[in-house]
Structures are given as C-alpha cells and as structure tokens.
Amino acid sequence: MQSQSTLSILALLLWLLAACKTETIPSAHIPAKPPASSSTSKLAPSAPIVPQVSPISPSTSQLKTTDWSQLKVWEQDMLLPAWTAFLQSCNALNKQLLWRETCKKASMIKQPTDNTIKHFFKHHFIPHQVLNLDGSAEGLITGYYEPLLKGSRTPSQQYRYPLYAQPDELLVIELADVYPELKNLQLRGRLEGRKVVPYYTRAEIENEPTSLKGRELLWVNDQVELFFLQIQGSGRIMLENGEILRVGYADQNGHPYQSIGKLLVQRGELPLENASMQGIKQWGQQNPDKLTKLLHQNSRYIFFRELPNNLSGPIGALGVPLTAGRSLAVDSRAIPQGAPVFLSTTWPNSNKPLNRLMVAQDAGSAIKGGVRADFFWGFGPEAASQAGKMKQKGKMWVLLPKNYSSQLQAKK
C-alpha cells in the first residue's frame, strides 16, 4: 500500500517536472499564501494580509558585484516613489536578519528627498549586475496591470462566467522535506479514490463545472477579460450597483501555462507584431466560434480570493501591496524578493529609454531567468495599454545591503 502511494506521488512529480518549462510571456503573478481563514467564507473579504516571505539565497553566479559608477543614469530618476515602495518591502523584510538593520535605518528617515535617498543607498547598499545563466546581461522585460471587469454576485444571462475560489479538494504537496533540491516546487492535484492525480484542466473545469459548484465568488460578463484577469493574477470587479471589489490570486490548478498568442502566431492566424493582449482580444471578437477552443489550449486555471478594498494596490509575492510603475515581478532564484532593482530598458513599443529604480515585490510562473522581469503598470486603461505593448530588452542591477553582499561573497 505504501509503495503504491509512493508511486502515485512520483508519477505526479514526473508529470509536474515535465510541465515546468520556461515561458517567455507573463502568466499569473503569485502573491503570498492566503491566511488559512480566508477559505472559510467564499464571499467575505479575506483576513488582513500577513507577509509570508522566507529568506532567499540567490544564485551567486547570476549576480556580478559592481560599483555605483556603472549606474550613472540612476541618479537622474525621481527616487521618492521607489523609496515608498521599498518601505513597503520592509514590512516583510524586517523579519529577516540580513535586512532588519537596513530597514530600521530606512524607517528613521522622516522627510526623504532624492538626495537623502541617493546617499542612503550608496552608503548602505552594493549594486550587483544581474546576469543570465549563460553570462549574458540582457533579457526580456514585459508588463502587467490590474484590470477592471464588470460582474455580479449572482449569475444571469449577462453575467455567466464564474470566478472560482480555491477548491477544497485541491491538494498542494510539499516535497522539500524529502527532496530538498525540490524546495521551489510544489505538486498540485486531487484524490481519485486512493490515487493522487493531476487537478482538472481549464477545459475540464469549464466543460464540467460541477466539481466547483458552490465555490463561485462572482460572475463576470466577458470570457476573454476573465482569461486575462487570470494571467494578470489580480484585478477589480465593478458590480451593477457601482461597488468595486478587489480580487487576488488564491491558487492554481498546477498545469503548465500555454501562450495563446504564440499559438495564434504559429498557426498563421496573427502576425507576430499583433500578438499582444489587444491583438488577441481583437482576434477573439472576429473569431467567436474559435475562441473557447483557443482559450482551452492554456490548461492553467487560476482561483481567486476577495481582498480588502482599502489596499493601496494588489498583493504581490512578497505579501505587500504593489506600487504602480515601481514594482517588478522577478525570478526569486536570481533576485531576492523585496530588493531594490535598477532597471534599464525602453518604453513599450519604442526606443525611448526607461531607466528607473524599481523594487522586486512579485513573481510569476512565466518569469524565469536572471534578466527577466514583469513591470507592474498599475490600474486603468493607460496601464492596460502599456502592459499589453511591453516586450522590451533590458538590463538590471539589484541593490543589496552590505551585510547581505558579504554573505554572497562568502559563498563564492
């Protein structure tokens, strides 16, 4: 009996490892794990967000120690917005020994200016250029945003596409205690008799939704907008009475993400230059009979939770609210969550330089690699436009406290 259970887990592990491949476009962003109490009521706002972040030891081979002379243009940036975002990070980072003292000193600056912020970073931090595993210094920078959808608490002919809360039967299996080398991976599945099997795919959920009956949070009026809400990972829903609710990522079904834009390009149905969010939406309007089948090609499915409305932004992987234009989703194996990151890229769909001090506060299933990031543009039509167009080349430097940097050097 024990050997059969072990084989079931190993079979699911092999399936997961086969599914975990690097993507090149953004997928759902993964905030801190929801408090356990948030699943007890699927309609009530969840409990206050509690940052849940563990110390991250980035790969030393992907961080090259440098000096401030290599970041001359960073002083041309307006630093106060990034400083505010960094202080948000400290709400989580002050629980880590390597950050605690630095965050304490940052909190003591009561009236920060660009000059005092520059002095603080130069005095307490060391810049490290981020590299890819092959040693290259340039990578892909994409964008994401917080969308607004129209919805209802009750289903109708107009509002017929449900947002589901995390299902009770969804299993999340941690294998780190048995396989320490798999500490960054989790298994997701469900029980079928006495076997652990993969959870339902997007197509299975939407074609046979009985397994999720009673887990509906809300219903929205647009199938494509709901699909992109799942890719963004969080958003807002405007009810018929004008009330606006916030929803955020709760969990996912464990299946690999498949880019539908890439599929349309491969099939010759969309030119590469139009493979943006806006281009895909337009294709869907022109091909309604093909739309559902296309969306089902992405087997990954996101479950949501309702968030408090008083948050300043959606919650990222660090467990703190994101800041429009200053928060980045990164690969935490290369860049520690919460760290300031100087980003050198260009504005969406242009060659105009975009040099900005950002803060690593989020992660995403498609954000894999050293020089790879997703730029959070915020909320509203302009943010949606910029995020949909952004697919730029860029370079990054992560700023780490001096004591953190000394620990990295000791590992080399």
Side-chain angles (χ1 to χ4, degrees):
M1 184 190 312
Q2 185 176 0
S3 61
Q4 288 180 345
S5 299
T6 303
L7 286 174
S8 294
I9 293 175
L10 288 176
L12 188 57
L13 173 60
L14 291 173
W15 168 83
L16 174 72
L17 293 175
C20 290
K21 56 178 183 282
T22 301
E23 300 290 346
T24 57
I25 71 169
S27 183
H29 296 80
I30 304 175
K33 183 179 179 181
S37 60
S38 68
S39 62
T40 59
S41 172
K42 66 186 179 72
L43 294 181
S46 60
I49 305 302
V50 180
Q52 299 184 28
V53 59
S54 301
I56 297 292
S57 297
S59 169
T60 56
S61 63
Q62 292 184 258
L63 296 180
K64 177 184 176 182
T65 305
T66 183
D67 57 66
W68 289 100
S69 65
Q70 303 299 311
L71 280 75
K72 292 180 180 178
V73 292
W74 90 286
E75 297 191 358
Q76 301 170 16
D77 184 25
M78 295 178 60
L79 298 179
L80 190 57
W83 180 256
T84 303
F86 174 64
L87 293 181
Q88 288 272 31
S89 285
C90 281
N91 291 328
L93 295 178
N94 58 21
K95 295 177 174 60
Q96 296 185 26
L97 181 61
L98 291 174
W99 286 94
R100 189 178 300 149
E101 188 63 28
T102 304
C103 283
K104 181 180 179 180
K105 291 176 180 177
S107 68
M108 296 172 65
I109 301 178
K110 300 304 181 184
Q111 294 182 323
T113 65
D114 278 356
N115 284 333
T116 57
I117 295 170
K118 289 172 189 174
H119 176 78
F120 179 86
F121 281 124
K122 284 188 172 183
H123 185 72
H124 295 288
F125 286 74
I126 294 176
H128 302 259
Q129 185 165 18
V130 184
L131 303 175
N132 297 309
L133 287 175
D134 63 2
S136 60
E138 191 173 72
L140 178 65
I141 313 298
T142 50
Y144 67 116
Y145 73 109
E146 187 182 14
L148 175 66
L149 286 73
K150 294 181 179 180
S152 173
R153 293 262 189 209
T154 56
S156 64
Q157 185 60 31
Q158 181 179 3
Y159 299 103
R160 52 199 173 99
Y161 303 105
L163 278 73
Y164 289 112
Q166 180 180 339
D168 293 329
E169 64 178 346
L170 178 65
L171 302 177
V172 180
I173 304 171
E174 302 279 359
L175 294 178
D177 291 340
V178 181
Y179 303 103
E181 66 274 17
L182 301 179
K183 64 180 179 179
N184 293 319
L185 294 178
Q186 294 176 323
L187 297 177
R188 284 175 171 77
R190 60 184 177 86
L191 283 176
E192 191 172 89
R194 298 173 65 180
K195 292 178 61 179
V196 178
V197 299
Y199 197 76
Y200 302 108
T201 64
R202 175 182 297 275
E204 290 169 336
I205 290 172
E206 295 185 349
N207 289 335
E208 297 289 340
T210 53
S211 62
L212 289 170
K213 188 172 178 59
R215 301 303 296 167
E216 300 91 346
L217 278 174
L218 300 159
W219 285 261
V220 296
N221 67 341
D222 192 299
Q223 182 183 17
V224 178
E225 293 292 346
L226 174 56
F227 180 86
F228 279 103
L229 172 65
Q230 294 196 3
I231 292 179
Q232 304 307 315
S234 61
R236 305 183 197 185
I237 312 293
M238 178 182 286
L239 302 182
E240 295 171 286
N241 63 2
E243 181 184 3
I244 296 181
L245 307 175
R246 253 203 167 103
V247 295
Y249 174 101
D251 214 324
Q252 46 100 350
N253 64 348
H255 285 268
Y257 176 87
Q258 171 64 59
S259 166
I260 60 173
K262 184 177 180 180
L263 283 176
L264 289 174
V265 172
Q266 290 174 343
R267 296 172 181 176
E269 299 192 54
L270 203 64
L272 181 59
E273 60 271 18
N274 291 343
S276 63
M277 180 177 61
Q278 293 87 345
I280 295 170
K281 288 181 179 180
Q282 186 176 16
W283 181 93
Q285 293 170 355
Q286 296 170 350
N287 299 273
D289 55 325
K290 300 180 181 180
L291 180 59
T292 298
K293 186 175 181 180
L294 174 70
L295 299 183
H296 286 173
Q297 298 304 301
N298 177 22
S299 295
R300 174 157 293 185
Y301 198 90
I302 305 302
F303 305 107
F304 290 94
R305 56 179 170 142
E306 191 172 330
L307 298 175
N309 274 331
N310 60 353
L311 296 173
S312 60
I315 301 299
L318 186 62
V320 301
L322 303 181
T323 300
R326 295 291 172 168
S327 293
L328 277 183
V330 299
D331 187 342
S332 300
R333 294 170 299 181
I335 299 174
Q337 284 288 321
V341 178
F342 181 71
L343 173 67
S344 179
T345 185
T346 51
W347 285 82
N349 201 25
S350 80
N351 293 320
K352 180 182 176 182
L354 174 56
N355 298 310
R356 188 172 289 188
L357 186 62
M358 310 285 290
V359 186
Q361 295 177 321
D362 208 357
S365 56
I367 312 304
K368 303 299 181 187
V371 192
R372 176 71 177 97
D374 221 5
F375 187 110
F376 178 63
W377 285 97
F379 173 75
E382 179 63 20
S385 175
Q386 296 285 41
K389 295 183 296 184
M390 191 166 193
K391 195 175 182 181
Q392 316 298 117
K393 295 293 185 181
K395 296 181 179 181
M396 297 191 293
W397 291 261
V398 61
L399 312 184
L400 296 175
K402 289 183 177 180
N403 60 327
Y404 200 129
S405 298
S406 63
Q407 293 286 333
L408 286 180
Q409 291 303 315
K411 292 181 180 181
K412 290 187 176 181

